[in-house]
Amino acid sequence: RKAFNQIGYVRSRLPDHCTLVATTATLLADRKQEVYNQLRIKEGQFHLIHHSNHRDDIQYLIRTMSTGIGGRKFPDLHSILTNDRRTIIACGTINLGFRVLLDLHAQADPSWNLAKHIRLFNSLNEPSYNNETKHLFATKDPESKVIIATDTLLVGANIPGIADVVMFGEVADATDFI
């Protein structure tokens, strides 16, 4: 990340007795040296604490969808509306996310407050709308059940109470999936 370059510059101007603490939840093993260079630190001059992201409470299920992602109807996602589990549906594009939103709206119970029940989270939304979406889910608003999101939300997101994440469509590689 470009911001890491700035940390290195700031660090070089600080006195030696200042301690730098850098944390990340997304650093890939093959990118460590690049980050060390950006932070202007050398192997052996720092203490690294690395924890595995292995989670026993996560279960991966892979299912073949009955329809393609190029259409406007996604019946395999309809059960999400009635299972009472807070869910993120991860879509690779804003276009796909919007089509999923339209289909789920068409299937929704007419009594639901759709502005809360099914939320779209992507980079085209106003930041205030995306922040409100995170807030509704973080506070476990009982009406907020589904977020349809692009990677704008998914990188480093920590929203309590999410029961399911559906990766809808193809992902570029295993890192994107995880």
Side-chain angles (χ1 to χ4, degrees), residues 11 19-22 27 32-37 39-50:
R11 185 177 172 273
T19 301
L20 170 69
V21 176
L27 180 61
K32 284 182 185 177
Q33 189 58 51
E34 181 181 338
V35 173
Y36 299 162
N37 293 342
L39 294 176
R40 301 177 190 272
I41 57 177
K42 293 185 172 88
E43 194 78 47
Q45 295 180 336
F46 60 89
H47 179 69
L48 174 67
I49 301 172
H50 179 252

